[in-house]
Amino acid sequence: MSCREVIVLNVGGVRFVTRPSTLQQFPESRLARMVTDDDREFKLVNGEFFVDRDGALFSYIVDFLRTLQVSLPTDFSDYQRLQREAEFYGLYPLADLLSQEHLLKPRLEILEVRFSLQEMQAFFRIFGSCSTTIEALAEQITVFTGQQSGQGWNSPFPSQKPLIPLPLERPSHHDIVFLCGTEYSAGDQFVARYVSIKPDNRKLINGTNVLGLLLDTLLKDGFRLISTRTVASEDKVECYTFERMKRAAGLAIMVNQTPGSSGVAQARRSQVQKGK
């Protein structure tokens, strides 16, 4: 079998084509022994190895052998069945990772935006159940401040005076607090605060416009709006609640070929952060 460039497997009627080296990632597994004809249960029929197992689940096993990561769909639920398949093929590092089902399941993420409008200022507070999302959002939001002369809420552009970026208030790892608009300073002077939300480059002073851009940013990031309500009618505090299913961090293993190990794969767990 060593002369073959590719191997064809028929697993429960589903065909897979892969390289021998992929199946030999774990030399002591049954798939590796199949390549060297050391496992007689896998029969070669018309140039294909027939395996009487679940073909749909085998696609995840091949993906694991190619990437050494467990990456499953957000709606996946057959963890125990896939673990049994991994044990059948002798892929015990994979079976071990699948036993940690709580680490592989996607998690529901909640994010809440509170907005209030008072005279010439708008106040924002963002709370999220996932601190990493709040950290990423904080990097997108910048508040600029500067002294303006005779300008109010409806001023469309900042004056030629330089604006100074302000740090966002962070009451906790799960909160962001900021405001925009103008407030009276002295004479005809106003302190103005503008908000910019990347990748949009505009500096917005109108609170309603900032709210619209913020909600649009969250929707584009995979959140969906599930409720709106008025928290405090006297202060006119509006609350917008979002949710999304966040893919869990993928579990991976590192395979080390150590001297004297006879090619036996040594596995250790690590966590690899996946995309949204």
Side-chain angles (χ1 to χ4, degrees):
M1 291 298 301
S2 59
C3 62
R4 284 181 176 243
E5 293 186 2
V6 297
I7 288 181
V8 181
L9 297 92
N10 184 330
V11 184
V14 183
R15 294 177 75 251
F16 296 88
V17 181
T18 188
R19 294 181 180 275
S21 58
T22 299
L23 301 178
Q24 292 176 309
Q25 284 279 19
F26 299 90
E28 292 189 340
S29 71
R30 297 188 69 183
L31 291 172
R33 296 200 303 271
M34 178 195 73
V35 174
T36 57
D37 293 326
D38 290 336
D39 194 316
R40 298 186 179 278
E41 184 168 339
F42 299 131
K43 302 295 183 181
L44 191 62
V45 180
N46 297 325
E48 300 180 0
F49 281 100
F50 176 74
V51 187
D52 191 16
R53 303 294 293 191
D54 191 307
L57 292 179
F58 189 74
S59 64
Y60 301 117
I61 289 177
V62 172
D63 181 68
F64 168 76
L65 292 173
R66 289 168 176 162
T67 65
L68 298 181
Q69 297 179 15
V70 182
S71 181
L72 301 172
T74 55
D75 59 349
F76 186 82
S77 59
D78 290 336
Y79 292 93
Q80 291 184 348
R81 290 183 59 212
L82 184 56
Q83 183 179 350
R84 287 198 300 269
E85 294 298 295
E87 291 172 348
F88 170 80
Y89 293 109
L91 296 170
Y92 298 108
L94 173 58
D96 181 47
L97 296 183
L98 289 168
S99 68
Q100 304 173 76
E101 183 178 334
H102 65 287
L103 296 178
L104 292 168
K105 283 187 174 181
R107 299 177 182 179
L108 181 64
E109 183 178 354
I110 301 295
L111 190 140
E112 186 178 273
V113 177
R114 295 197 176 195
F115 167 75
S116 65
L117 193 60
Q118 298 178 10
E119 297 181 351
M120 306 293 284
Q121 290 185 315
F123 295 83
F124 293 85
R125 182 162 191 167
I126 305 173
F127 172 83
S129 60
C130 178
S131 60
T132 56
T133 297
I134 293 299
E135 291 290 344
L137 193 57
E139 293 179 358
Q140 291 180 256
I141 300 174
T142 306
V143 178
F144 299 89
T145 185
Q147 290 281 344
Q148 309 296 323
S149 299
Q151 295 183 346
W153 179 268
N154 293 318
S155 175
F157 302 106
S159 70
Q160 296 302 316
K161 295 181 180 180
L163 296 177
I164 302 171
L166 290 177
L168 299 178
E169 292 185 43
R170 297 295 306 277
S172 74
H173 293 296
H174 294 271
D175 289 85
I176 301 173
V177 176
F178 63 93
L179 59 87
C180 65
T182 59
E183 61 179 338
Y184 178 75
S185 177
D188 64 346
Q189 297 292 311
F190 289 84
V191 175
R193 288 184 175 87
Y194 299 84
V195 174
S196 178
I197 305 177
K198 297 176 182 178
D200 194 297
N201 293 320
R202 293 173 296 169
K203 295 181 176 65
L204 303 176
I205 194 172
N206 186 294
T208 303
N209 293 340
V210 173
L211 176 64
L213 179 58
L214 176 60
L215 300 186
D216 184 61
T217 300
L218 295 174
L219 292 172
K220 289 180 179 178
D221 199 30
F223 283 96
R224 68 184 187 96
L225 182 64
I226 58 174
S227 71
T228 60
R229 69 184 192 276
T230 300
V231 178
S233 57
E234 295 181 358
D235 297 329
K236 299 180 180 178
V237 179
E238 301 173 4
C239 179
Y240 300 81
T241 304
F242 295 81
E243 71 174 18
R244 73 174 175 184
M245 292 300 294
K246 186 177 181 182
R247 185 181 295 276
L251 291 181
I253 66 167
M254 303 300 293
V255 178
N256 300 319
Q257 300 295 337
T258 58
S261 64
S262 302
V264 177
Q266 304 295 322
R268 68 178 177 85
R269 299 186 202 92
S270 63
Q271 291 218 351
V272 178
Q273 184 66 41
K274 304 299 288 182
K276 301 173 184 169

